[in-house]
Amino acid sequence: GAACPSAGQIRAAFLRFFEERHGHRRLPSAPVRPRGDPRLLFVNAGMNQFKPIFLGTVHPRSELAQHRRVVNSQKCVRAGGKHNDLEDVGRDTYHHTFFEMLGNWSFGDYFKEEACSMAWELLTEVYEIPRDRLYVTYFGGDPSLGLSADEECRDVWLRLGVPASHVLPFSLKDNFWEMGDTGPCGPCTEIHYDHVGGGRNAAALVNQGSPDVVEIWNLVFMQYSREPEGNLLPLPQHHVDTGMGLERLVTVLQNKRSNYDTDLFTPILDAIHKGCRAPRYQGLVGDADIGRVNMAYRVVADHVRTLCVCITDGVYPGFSGAELVLRRILRRAVRFCSEVLQAPPGLLASLVPTVVEVLGDAYPELTRNANQIKDIINENEAAFLSSLERGRRIIERTVQQMKPSTNFPAEVAWSLYGSLGFPLDLIDLMLEEKGISLDSAAFNELALEDAKRKAGGPQAGQPGNTNTQLDVHALAQLRSSSVPATDDSPKYAYALGQHGQYEFSPCQATVLMLYRDQSLQKEVGAGQRCGVILDRTNFYAEQGGQDSDQGYMIRLGQQDVLFPVESVHLCGGYVIHEVTAVETLRAGDQVQLFVDEAQRLACMTNHTATHMLNFALRRVLGDSTEQRGSHVTAERLRFDFDTKGNVTVEQLQQVEQVVQDLIKKNEVVHMAEVPLTLARRVQGLRAVDEGYPDPVRIVSLGVPVENVLTCDSEAAMQTSVELCCGTHLLQTGSVEDLAIISERQLVKGISRVIAVTGGQAKEAREVGQCLAMEVDSVSLRMKQRITSIPEMQNLSKEVGQLTKVVASTAMPQWQRRELQTILKALQRTANTAIKKLELQQAEKKAQILLAKYCNQPVIIDTVPADSLSILMKVVNQLCDKSPGTSVLLLSPQASGEVLCACQVSKNCLPTFSAADWAVAVCTQMEGKAGGSPIVAKGSGNAKGMQGALTTALEFAQSKL
């Protein structure tokens, strides 16, 4: 009732407790888009932003490195990737895609005693949770890893007054936390809450998946590091990392059994009820939830929170990575809104103010971005709803025409998936509701074909596509039949809307001819792939290095049948659209064409950026820099050019800067068709060696085409002016950013550059910054006087791993080169330092042995040595200082292996061979050895070591 604290008060109390009572520094939540961690789609735990501290890669001069004790409430998203909660959300009352993680951290400051005592104080004194309802678990040890039970932690809880019956040991699975396969890890202690209480002992229900006894807080004690070999080493500094899900804590403190019954969700559920025609939310699950109405409430409430947080933090619904996951979340929410809750369009965006009301105080960035969030949700919802409606009609119609007990046709499903962006699980669900299954094998075959096609057309020497490459006979036939060339001018029909978005004009056309298996046809049957020739088109055909458009066409008056357009080619003035006929297609059919606008816009961005890059390269490298080829796709751009020598780091930076300046100026991109002869006269015109049409299209950045064409104009020398048939942006500002992520010489004198734009460029820079900080951190540690060989070897290994990551990650090329130069030098420094330390160690050991054996002809002994390299150096030192002596040393290792190294005095050759000596000794230890007559080395098993020493002496005596 009224005594229940609100979620806002609970969150604030947590932060205040650690900040005011225990001197923690309060930090804001990091955005949910991970900074420079390509392995993560979203920030999924409070510790993500502190990873560099735990890994020791934090820059000593950075703000992060100054933290000792910290508290915050972190926005987290778990969907896609390893922690994929998406499909579980809505089915139960506790899974979420977005949640808040309350956490306190100690970086080398306090440890188990203080962490447990603070947690107990907060839960029992501040939140006043009855002590008899709390149970704590601790790590019970693991003999296989040589880890004993964490009795220190157990004793802390007992001293705090927790009864022994409430302090429970658990195994590695439940109470040992690891960041990954390698890296910081350690035992943890969890605090569990019994919802039932009433004086019972619920110890038997802890960690058993009971809904009555739930974990609320996990305290991790990072005290080990898991090495690549699997062994654990103690960390030089101990850390504490705790995490408590706010949603679960609020459920406990508001005396509820479901997260959705707390005030984090009830205002949103009420707003959903007001905006839809469904009955009120009742909290039902499983079979009791008739028509999945309650599940829909939970899905929409959860997903709208995630959408608000992600969009605010710069993750928008899109086509790959985190953006693709968010698009699925949005589409899942939209479907539950419209199909289950019977809500009118716009419900999802109408919930944004309520989400802002619930979360805005804690995360003020939500309040600032509320309108933008609504716009993005509405745009995406509208696009999906029209697809959903059309998809449902297509499925209904196809099902009616199907023969009983047959599978749903794969080509129809493929057209839904490819053209309307229908998630596969959605198609399966819709069919499942009708008791029909998809012809999965045929569908997978279509997907495989598409993947092959995208991976790069026919290989050299293989025939091209017989449906899109018109042969000489087909071309002659078209002309003799007076079929006119395709009017493709509508591909340039687009404009900027009032909010700065691109609007593409629709295009209507007539099918003139179909082409299949190298023959022209007037009709093509359902399920067949063919080339479609129209009188006009707004599709861009692959040419001038720019990828073709994709999209779909529909017959006029028949909105339900989608013909996916998979690729578009230009052949002899005819534009051929590669289409899978979902139904019979005939010459004379009237069609409407829809280009995939997102893909087209990405190509336009990258093509305009290519022109800017071409100009920048000439500006920086000189006028003799000529284009040798380019390729523009939606994902990236590739540009080949003449170059006198290698492109330097400074030149790459300058090229990027010239492009940045053009982006900042937001120049108008002028385009016009002019007679070829006139175009050729332009001073400074960029053109590649290919046949241009006449009239030809000129693309000029910032200078109107008529100004470029005037006599004696030098305007084209100062900006980018090119002959180009591609589709371009209307203003350069839309490129946002450009990063060159690769530059290499293809052959001497020709370089290839690969670049990305917009968000991808920004991401590449962020990753570059993070890697630069990691390299910086290693450099600083290398400068400290390290006297331990294992420590130096670890540092050397770290340099090796960083070198691999820097080589393979998308980041600015100039920065990659800089970091590679630094890493190369660091690797040399580390190798030299290891050699030097090994020599020093070897010298000391050799001195001791020399004193012990004083000029004897043979020295056979065991010595401690960390590696075969050190052992060999000890042997070398002994023989250098006592040339007449032959030496064999064994070194037992902790692993049970015994290392062996030997050297024979030159005076004893050829009767005495080091290789034979080592083989005899190592065979005795069931091992192997090899080498030359003078020096040899090997290894064996500790069980045979005593016998091996005897063998070594007997062998030497028999030879001397």
Side-chain angles (χ1 to χ4, degrees):
C4 278
S6 71
Q9 289 168 329
I10 293 167
R11 188 195 296 108
F14 181 91
L15 298 169
R16 203 167 49 243
F17 171 80
F18 283 101
E19 190 177 12
E20 293 174 9
R21 280 203 204 181
H22 295 288
H24 286 59
R25 180 159 181 201
R26 180 172 168 179
L27 292 182
S29 167
V32 292
R33 179 193 277 285
R35 286 206 185 106
D37 190 342
R39 291 172 288 266
L40 272 186
L41 287 173
F42 299 99
V43 163
N44 58 17
M47 54 73 64
N48 289 163
Q49 66 171 313
F50 304 118
K51 249 186 184 177
I53 299 180
F54 301 136
L55 293 168
T57 57
V58 64
H59 193 295
R61 289 196 297 273
S62 69
E63 194 179 6
L64 201 55
Q66 311 313 314
H67 298 323
R68 287 292 163 266
R69 36 178 82 188
V70 161
V71 63
N72 88 342
S73 168
Q74 173 63 47
K75 300 175 286 189
C76 298
V77 174
R78 285 190 184 170
K82 182 179 158 195
H83 299 284
N84 192 350
D85 290 353
L86 184 54
E87 290 311 313
D88 295 322
V89 173
R91 294 181 199 279
D92 54 42
T93 60
Y94 51 85
H95 270 99
H96 299 291
T97 51
F98 164 75
F99 62 97
E100 295 176 70
M101 183 82 88
L102 301 171
N104 60 293
W105 285 268
S106 159
F107 306 120
D109 186 349
Y110 58 81
F111 206 44
K112 295 177 186 178
E113 178 96 39
E114 298 90 329
C116 296
S117 120
M118 288 175 202
W120 194 248
E121 183 189 352
L122 176 68
L123 294 177
T124 59
E125 293 175 26
V126 177
Y127 290 141
E128 298 180 349
I129 295 175
R131 291 163 183 248
D132 62 349
R133 288 200 179 205
L134 295 173
Y135 295 79
V136 296
T137 65
Y138 67 94
F139 177 51
D142 189 303
S144 71
L145 280 173
L147 291 175
S148 51
D150 190 359
E151 289 169 2
E152 181 192 352
C153 175
R154 180 199 63 192
D155 295 346
V156 168
W157 288 118
L158 295 173
R159 281 200 299 279
L160 285 167
V162 183
S165 61
H166 284 223
V167 183
L168 315 166
F170 279 90
S171 68
L172 199 73
K173 180 172 79 74
D174 292 306
N175 279 77
F176 196 86
W177 185 90
E178 309 215 27
M179 191 188 286
D181 297 336
T182 58
C185 56
C188 59
T189 180
E190 294 177 342
I191 304 171
H192 296 249
Y193 173 79
D194 176 19
H195 276 286
V196 177
R200 69 170 186 166
N201 186 328
L205 296 176
V206 171
N207 276 338
Q208 298 305 309
S210 160
D212 295 336
V213 180
V214 295
E215 174 213 331
I216 53 172
W217 203 347
N218 186 7
L219 283 61
V220 177
F221 307 121
M222 291 197 200
Q223 59 188 94
Y224 302 107
S225 167
R226 185 173 291 283
E227 298 303 294
E229 294 76 34
N231 56 318
L232 295 175
L233 292 181
L235 277 177
Q237 219 183 20
H238 288 174
H239 305 298
V240 175
D241 161 17
T242 86
M244 172 155 60
L246 175 71
E247 292 74 12
R248 208 173 265 190
L249 176 66
V250 173
T251 304
V252 167
L253 296 180
Q254 293 184 355
N255 204 18
K256 305 290 184 194
R257 292 303 298 271
S258 154
N259 296 356
Y260 291 92
D261 293 340
T262 67
D263 64 346
L264 284 167
F265 288 93
T266 47
I268 305 171
L269 295 167
D270 291 344
I272 294 170
H273 177 64
K274 283 188 192 123
C276 75
R277 295 192 264 284
R280 190 173 277 287
Y281 177 70
Q282 295 170 282
L284 303 173
V285 293
D287 294 338
D289 182 16
I290 312 289
R292 300 195 302 169
V293 170
N294 290 266
M295 178 178 174
Y297 266 102
R298 290 188 289 268
V299 166
V300 174
D302 171 89
H303 287 10
V304 74
R305 285 168 27 114
T306 306
L307 285 161
C308 288
V309 167
C310 287
I311 292 168
T312 292
D313 284 351
V315 181
Y316 304 137
F319 295 92
S320 65
E323 282 77 7
L324 180 61
V325 175
L326 196 64
R327 181 177 186 236
R328 287 190 182 133
I329 288 171
L330 184 135
R331 292 186 157 202
R332 190 169 185 256
V334 168
R335 182 156 184 259
F336 275 98
C337 279
S338 69
E339 296 195 351
V340 182
L341 298 175
Q342 307 286 304
L347 171 67
L348 206 53
S350 76
L351 303 174
V352 172
T354 311
V355 175
V356 170
E357 216 170 282
V358 174
L359 297 173
D361 285 349
Y363 310 108
E365 59 273 23
L366 285 166
T367 314
R368 293 193 295 273
N369 291 292
N371 289 335
Q372 184 202 16
I373 298 168
K374 280 199 279 198
D375 290 347
I376 288 174
I377 290 177
N378 276 332
E379 271 170 41
N380 279 275
E381 179 182 38
F384 184 51
L385 280 175
S386 69
S387 302
L388 201 62
E389 193 41 54
R390 187 177 284 167
R392 195 179 295 104
R393 286 205 308 271
I394 291 170
I395 288 175
E396 295 282 357
R397 233 171 121 264
T398 311
V399 169
Q400 281 165 16
Q401 293 169 358
M402 277 167 57
K403 295 191 177 86
S405 69
T406 53
N407 282 341
F408 191 81
E411 59 272 14
V412 177
W414 179 254
S415 111
L416 286 169
Y417 176 70
S419 305
L420 291 182
F422 248 61
L424 274 181
D425 59 330
L426 202 56
I427 298 172
D428 283 336
L429 268 170
M430 285 179 161
L431 293 178
E432 199 183 299
E433 286 161 10
K434 300 187 180 304
I436 291 166
S437 57
L438 172 63
D439 183 350
S440 299
F443 184 91
N444 291 340
E445 213 169 294
L446 286 170
L448 200 65
E449 264 180 57
D450 184 64
K452 275 185 195 159
R453 196 167 47 250
K454 282 180 177 152
Q459 299 303 307
Q462 289 183 352
N465 189 324
T466 54
N467 297 330
T468 54
Q469 305 298 322
L470 295 174
D471 63 18
V472 63
H473 308 293
L475 282 165
Q477 199 183 331
L478 284 168
R479 288 178 186 132
S480 63
S481 311
S482 302
V483 175
T486 316
D487 168 19
D488 64 352
S489 58
K491 70 187 177 193
Y492 299 126
Y494 50 87
L496 276 171
Q498 63 188 79
H499 301 301
Q501 79 287 11
Y502 280 79
E503 291 170 350
F504 297 83
S505 306
C507 179
Q508 206 171 304
T510 305
V511 177
L512 300 181
M513 193 64 78
L514 302 161
Y515 186 66
R516 180 174 158 70
D517 293 337
Q518 288 180 302
S519 76
L520 294 167
Q521 301 173 9
K522 293 275 186 186
E523 186 176 298
V524 166
Q528 296 185 319
R529 183 174 272 143
C530 64
V532 179
I533 299 170
L534 307 166
D535 62 338
R536 61 202 301 269
T537 183
N538 58 347
F539 276 78
Y540 182 83
E542 185 174 348
Q543 58 185 316
Q546 179 179 326
D547 263 8
S548 77
D549 282 339
Q550 292 174 331
Y552 59 93
M553 51 178 82
I554 57 170
R555 274 203 200 92
L556 279 190
Q558 201 180 8
Q559 306 294 305
D560 307 351
V561 185
L562 267 80
F563 297 88
V565 176
E566 285 152 5
S567 66
V568 189
H569 302 267
L570 186 64
C571 199
Y574 298 100
V575 176
I576 299 107
H577 306 73
E578 189 181 5
V579 164
T580 300
V582 179
E583 282 191 6
T584 304
L585 199 55
R586 297 179 181 86
D589 282 351
Q590 301 285 301
V591 291
Q592 194 161 5
L593 308 176
F594 296 89
V595 166
D596 178 334
E597 293 181 8
Q599 190 227 1
R600 159 69 81 86
L601 189 54
C603 279
M604 283 161 55
T605 302
N606 286 345
H607 204 149
T608 303
T610 304
H611 283 215
M612 293 155 81
L613 179 67
N614 189 359
F615 170 72
L617 284 164
R618 186 175 39 142
R619 172 63 54 95
V620 173
L621 301 177
D623 277 341
S624 61
T625 311
E626 287 294 344
Q627 177 177 341
R628 281 299 192 97
S630 71
H631 187 209
V632 173
T633 69
E635 289 76 38
R636 58 178 181 66
L637 61 100
R638 192 191 77 212
F639 193 81
D640 301 345
F641 57 98
D642 286 335
T643 168
K644 293 269 186 296
N646 290 332
V647 184
T648 65
V649 165
E650 292 72 29
Q651 287 170 329
L652 286 169
Q653 286 175 303
Q654 287 163 7
V655 168
E656 282 189 5
Q657 192 52 56
V658 172
V659 176
Q660 307 288 355
D661 294 346
L662 277 171
I663 292 170
K664 277 199 196 85
K665 284 182 186 164
N666 198 16
E667 301 276 22
V668 172
V669 180
H670 298 275
M671 292 168 273
E673 287 207 335
V674 300
L676 190 55
T677 48
L678 207 56
R680 291 273 190 215
R681 288 186 206 145
V682 174
Q683 290 184 58
L685 177 81
R686 311 302 283 162
V688 283
D689 188 20
E690 63 175 53
Y692 285 99
D694 192 5
V696 69
R697 197 168 168 80
I698 286 187
V699 178
S700 168
L701 304 188
V703 180
V705 174
E706 54 266 37
N707 295 13
V708 169
L709 292 172
T710 54
C711 237
D712 302 323
S713 164
E714 289 193 357
M717 310 289 279
Q718 306 309 317
T719 185
S720 162
V721 179
E722 293 196 35
L723 300 184
C724 181
C725 59
T727 55
H728 284 271
L729 296 172
L730 301 173
Q731 288 181 300
T732 59
S734 305
V735 175
E736 292 176 357
D737 193 4
L738 175 137
I740 295 170
I741 56 168
S742 163
E743 186 278 326
R744 64 188 178 91
Q745 284 221 331
L746 288 180
V747 292
K748 192 153 177 59
I750 297 182
S751 267
R752 167 168 290 177
V753 156
I754 292 172
V756 289
T757 57
Q760 278 178 289
K762 184 174 173 234
E763 205 171 300
R765 289 188 196 289
E766 282 179 4
V767 170
Q769 282 306 310
C770 289
L771 286 172
M773 282 167 71
E774 285 188 42
V775 172
D776 238 340
S777 160
V778 174
S779 299
L780 283 162
R781 282 179 285 149
M782 197 74 89
K783 282 173 189 158
Q784 291 158 5
R785 282 190 58 78
I786 294 174
T787 52
S788 133
I789 292 174
E791 207 179 321
M792 201 42 142
Q793 283 169 331
N794 277 342
L795 211 48
S796 170
K797 207 183 284 181
E798 206 177 315
V799 171
Q801 283 165 343
L802 259 179
T803 303
K804 277 186 193 157
V805 173
V806 166
S808 61
T809 307
M811 63 189 287
Q813 180 69 4
W814 63 264
Q815 195 169 27
R816 187 195 319 279
R817 294 245 186 94
E818 279 189 348
L819 297 183
Q820 283 172 329
T821 306
I822 296 167
L823 287 166
K824 214 172 182 176
L826 289 175
Q827 195 67 72
R828 276 200 303 270
T829 307
N831 294 347
T832 309
I834 290 166
K835 261 191 197 144
K836 196 173 165 186
L837 288 168
E838 285 183 347
L839 266 173
Q840 286 168 357
Q841 217 178 79
E843 255 170 26
K844 280 181 195 159
K845 293 181 195 294
Q847 287 297 344
I848 295 163
L849 288 165
L850 271 175
K852 182 176 173 184
Y853 289 99
C854 199
N855 289 334
Q856 289 185 19
V858 178
I859 297 177
I860 295 167
D861 208 336
T862 60
V863 289
D866 289 338
S867 68
L868 194 51
S869 166
I870 295 174
L871 191 64
M872 201 74 233
K873 285 185 176 73
V874 179
V875 170
N876 298 153
Q877 294 270 347
L878 279 170
C879 292
D880 285 353
K881 293 196 166 71
S882 175
T885 306
S886 297
V887 181
L888 183 139
L889 297 179
L890 297 180
S891 179
Q893 302 294 297
S895 61
E897 185 186 30
V898 175
L899 306 177
C900 166
C902 65
Q903 183 168 337
V904 168
S905 167
K906 286 185 181 144
N907 312 342
C908 305
L909 297 172
T911 49
F912 193 0
S913 156
D916 295 346
W917 199 14
V919 167
V921 170
C922 292
T923 305
Q924 182 70 37
M925 299 188 292
E926 300 173 359
K928 287 180 180 164
S932 71
I934 298 180
V935 288
K937 56 190 177 184
S939 63
N941 198 307
K943 286 201 286 271
M945 191 169 83
Q946 281 319 112
L949 288 166
T950 312
T951 303
L953 188 58
E954 284 169 1
F955 186 94
Q957 283 169 345
S958 73
K959 299 293 178 189
L960 290 174

